[in-house]
């Protein structure tokens, strides 16, 4: 089959159009295929001459799914490199965005067919783009593709650069909201880091503030999810969920009020409150996949931290035993667990049967904690000033004594 169309060695667009057109019409026979291939090549050439890059991209993508199923990964990458490179010919950001949308939407239509290769093509497209709007759109498409195609490992490393991406994209609150939730979902599917998933979920919830009740209500399910993830996480003992309006709306919600109460117990109360709650709501806890024994373990550690923050730096063994509902011989074991988890820094005074706490981690850090910190800093500042004054006074006395000796 021969198709005579003027081309140049510098521009691979027309050879790619011819190659994909021949693939598309291969089963129709030469008599039918050759005129169609010629037509498509002529249309492509006309688009190039007139600078109709959006139309050219649309034409080249017409056979995209056939290309995915019939060529090797190497050829596939080459073909889409040529197609994606069309965006570099555009100077108008709006036109670039339209072409980026067209290409990325086509690539993500079949996310389970060669998902890793599709994701690689999206990354190549992203790197060719100049406009922040175009880059953000393609990145969101890549997130959804990674999730739907179960190739999340390929995109997780990029999350380390999210802060710099946000500065570059300069996106609004709604787009940030969608971004944080998508990342949280990817990390949840990836199961690489529960902490990171929870972090981005809380970032999502933090975008809701001073919203009307209708907008806020869309965050209810994710607020519940964040609470459950926090309670389940064996190594997360601090969060700001109680300060977030998106979470606060659950307090009086008919369906989720008990979930909010559970969060409040974990962040502001001790083991006895949890045990009382569990006795009355065991079915609810099971419905969210919460394991009673794991909850007790976490609440014991958090109760111990609470004792350290509220007992003036010294906790009697007997109080730990009663609060954590454990035996005498288990007291030091739980203190060691808290130290290992970096929840407290302390020394165990076995002779006086007390734990001397030098530092403990606050379960939440709200207004009360800020006021406490301010008070401590003011006291520290006063102590330092007093120490400096004493040193200076002693220095004056010493200098005076030396002067008298010289005379």
């Amino acid at each position: 089959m021969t198709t005579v169309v003027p081309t140049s060695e510098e521009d691979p667009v027309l050879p790619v159009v011819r190659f994909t057109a021949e693939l598309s019409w291969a089963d129709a026979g030469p008599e039918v295929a050759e005129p169609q291939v010629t037509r498509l090549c002529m249309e492509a050439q006309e688009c190039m001459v007139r600078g109709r890059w959006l139309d050219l991209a649309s034409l080249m993508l017409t056979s995209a799914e056939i290309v995915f199923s019939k060529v090797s990964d190497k050829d596939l990458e080459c073909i889409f490199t040529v197609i994606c490179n069309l965006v570099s010919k555009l100077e108008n950001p709006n036109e670039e965005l339209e072409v980026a949308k067209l290409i990325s939407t086509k690539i993500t239509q079949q996310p389970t067919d060669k998902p890793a290769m599709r994701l690689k093509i999206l990354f190549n497209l992203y790197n060719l783009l100049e406009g922040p709007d175009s880059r953000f759109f393609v990145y969101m498409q890549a997130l959804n593709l990674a999730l739907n195609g179960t190739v999340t490992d390929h995109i997780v490393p990029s999350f380390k650069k999210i802060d710099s991406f946000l500065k570059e994209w300069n996106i609004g609150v709604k787009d940030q909201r969608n971004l944080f939730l998508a990342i949280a979902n990817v990390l949840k599917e990836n199961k690489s880091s529960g902490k990171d998933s929870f972090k981005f979920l809380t970032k999502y919830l933090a975008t809701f503030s001073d919203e009307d009740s209708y907008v806020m209500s869309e965050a209810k399910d994710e607020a519940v999810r964040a609470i459950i993830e926090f309670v389940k996480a064996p190594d997360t003992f601090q969060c700001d969920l109680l300060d977030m309006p998106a979470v606060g709306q659950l307090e009086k919600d008919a369906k989720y009020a008990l979930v909010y109460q559970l969060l409040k117990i974990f962040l502001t109360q001790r083991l006895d409150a949890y045990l009382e709650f569990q006795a009355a709501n065991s079915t609810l806890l099971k419905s969210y996949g919460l394991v009673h024994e794991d909850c007790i373990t976490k609440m014991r550690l958090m109760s111990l931290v609470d004792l350290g923050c509220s007992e003036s730096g010294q906790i009697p063994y007997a109080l730990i035993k009663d609060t954590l509902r454990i035996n005498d011989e288990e007291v030091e074991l739980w203190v060691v667990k808290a130290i290992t988890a970096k929840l407290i820094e302390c020394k165990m005074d076995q002779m006086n049967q007390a734990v001397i706490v030098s530092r403990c981690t606050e379960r939440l850090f709200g207004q009360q904690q800020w006021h406490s910190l301010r008070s401590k800093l003011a006291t520290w500042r006063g102590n330092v000033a007093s120490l400096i004054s004493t040193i200076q006074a002693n220095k004056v006395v010493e200098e005076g004594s030396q002067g008298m000796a010289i005379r």
Side-chain angles (χ1 to χ4, degrees):
M1 180 186 300
T2 58
T3 305
V4 181
V5 177
T7 63
S8 65
E9 293 183 1
E10 292 79 11
D11 198 333
V13 170
L14 291 179
V16 167
V17 171
R18 181 186 298 110
F19 179 71
T20 56
E22 288 174 350
L23 277 178
S24 299
W25 291 94
D27 298 334
E31 297 79 9
V32 177
E34 188 165 345
Q36 294 297 332
V37 172
T38 302
R39 176 183 62 81
L40 290 169
C41 289
M42 295 301 291
E43 286 183 14
Q45 189 176 37
E46 183 180 356
C47 289
M48 293 173 67
V49 171
R50 298 192 177 189
R52 291 161 42 200
W53 305 113
L54 180 62
D55 292 338
L56 180 58
S58 179
L59 185 149
M60 296 179 76
L61 290 167
T62 301
S63 308
E65 293 307 322
I66 294 176
V67 170
F68 266 97
S69 62
K70 290 189 175 182
V71 302
S72 66
D73 286 353
K74 184 177 180 180
D75 287 340
L76 186 63
E77 186 175 359
C78 290
I79 290 168
F80 273 93
T81 297
V82 174
I83 296 174
C84 292
N85 198 55
L86 293 177
V87 299
S88 63
K89 302 179 183 295
L90 299 165
E91 297 180 0
N92 187 314
N94 292 330
E95 292 180 356
E96 182 191 69
L97 177 59
E98 289 304 311
V99 174
K101 284 182 177 180
L102 185 67
I103 296 173
S104 58
T105 301
K106 191 69 174 179
I107 291 170
T108 56
Q109 280 182 347
Q110 301 291 333
T112 57
D113 178 26
K114 298 184 178 180
M117 175 54 65
R118 291 176 187 267
L119 195 58
K120 186 176 183 181
I121 292 169
L122 283 182
F123 287 156
N124 291 339
L125 173 61
Y126 180 94
N127 291 327
L128 288 167
L129 294 168
E130 295 290 338
D133 291 344
S134 303
R135 285 192 152 203
F136 173 67
F137 182 86
V138 171
Y139 190 80
M140 288 299 296
Q141 292 287 88
L143 284 174
N144 293 327
L145 174 62
L147 186 61
N148 296 328
T150 61
V151 285
T152 53
D153 283 342
H154 294 75
I155 201 168
V156 167
S158 71
F159 297 163
K160 296 177 181 178
K161 300 179 181 179
I162 284 298
D163 289 339
S164 63
F165 288 163
L166 286 171
K167 291 179 182 178
E168 175 193 340
W169 297 332
N170 193 28
I171 55 178
V173 172
K174 188 174 180 180
D175 285 333
Q176 289 182 39
R177 193 174 291 163
N178 294 334
L179 173 67
F180 294 146
L181 183 57
I183 293 176
N185 289 336
V186 167
L187 289 167
K188 181 181 179 182
E189 176 67 26
N190 184 261
K191 297 179 181 178
S192 58
S193 173
K195 273 191 173 182
D196 287 338
S197 174
F198 179 73
K199 180 182 76 174
F200 280 101
L201 191 56
T202 55
K203 282 178 177 287
Y204 162 78
L205 294 172
T207 63
F208 293 89
S209 59
D210 301 323
E211 305 274 4
D212 60 66
S213 58
Y214 176 77
V215 175
M216 191 86 73
S217 64
E218 72 179 59
K220 281 186 180 180
D221 289 343
E222 306 309 331
V224 171
R225 170 182 159 188
I227 292 172
I228 300 303
E229 284 192 12
F230 170 74
V231 173
K232 281 184 176 181
D235 55 352
T236 303
F237 301 93
Q238 185 182 55
C239 74
D240 299 324
L241 292 177
L242 283 179
D243 294 330
M244 297 181 184
V247 176
Q249 67 178 326
L250 303 179
E251 185 174 12
K252 297 180 181 179
D253 186 86
K255 185 178 179 181
Y256 297 127
L258 286 174
V259 178
Y260 180 86
Q261 185 181 341
L262 179 65
L263 174 67
K264 205 164 184 178
I265 288 171
F266 268 78
L267 288 177
T268 64
Q269 300 182 53
R270 296 177 181 173
L271 179 62
D272 57 344
Y274 165 73
L275 293 174
E276 183 179 344
F277 179 88
Q278 189 275 337
N281 301 284
S282 59
T283 303
L284 175 74
L285 296 178
K286 289 178 182 178
S287 70
Y288 285 109
L290 295 170
V291 179
H292 179 50
E293 290 74 15
D294 293 342
C295 290
I296 287 179
T297 298
K298 184 165 183 171
M299 274 305 298
R300 279 177 172 157
L301 288 170
M302 299 186 87
S303 298
L304 182 54
V305 169
D306 190 55
L307 288 175
C309 295
S310 59
E311 292 299 324
S312 302
Q314 185 165 320
I315 320 171
Y317 277 22
L319 182 57
I320 295 175
K321 172 192 170 185
D322 293 340
T323 303
L324 274 57
R325 300 196 180 188
I326 53 178
N327 299 323
D328 290 330
E329 59 270 17
E330 294 179 288
V331 169
E332 292 186 354
L333 173 64
W334 281 98
V335 173
V336 170
K337 285 183 178 181
I339 295 172
T340 303
K342 298 181 179 180
L343 295 174
I344 60 173
E345 292 178 4
C346 63
K347 295 180 180 179
M348 288 181 278
D349 185 346
Q350 293 179 327
M351 182 174 294
N352 294 309
Q353 293 287 284
V355 175
I356 313 301
V357 179
S358 55
R359 183 199 66 83
C360 63
T361 301
E362 296 280 0
R363 288 185 285 180
L364 49 81
F365 211 90
Q367 287 296 326
Q368 182 180 346
Q369 286 71 33
W370 279 114
H371 287 311
S372 176
L373 178 60
R374 183 179 180 179
S375 176
K376 289 178 181 178
L377 288 174
T379 301
W380 175 80
R381 183 178 181 180
N383 291 340
V384 171
S386 177
L387 180 62
I388 291 173
S389 298
T390 302
I391 293 173
Q392 289 176 339
N394 290 336
K395 186 176 181 182
V396 170
V397 171
E398 289 178 1
E399 289 176 350
S401 299
Q402 291 175 358
M404 291 175 66
I406 290 172
R407 290 195 186 101

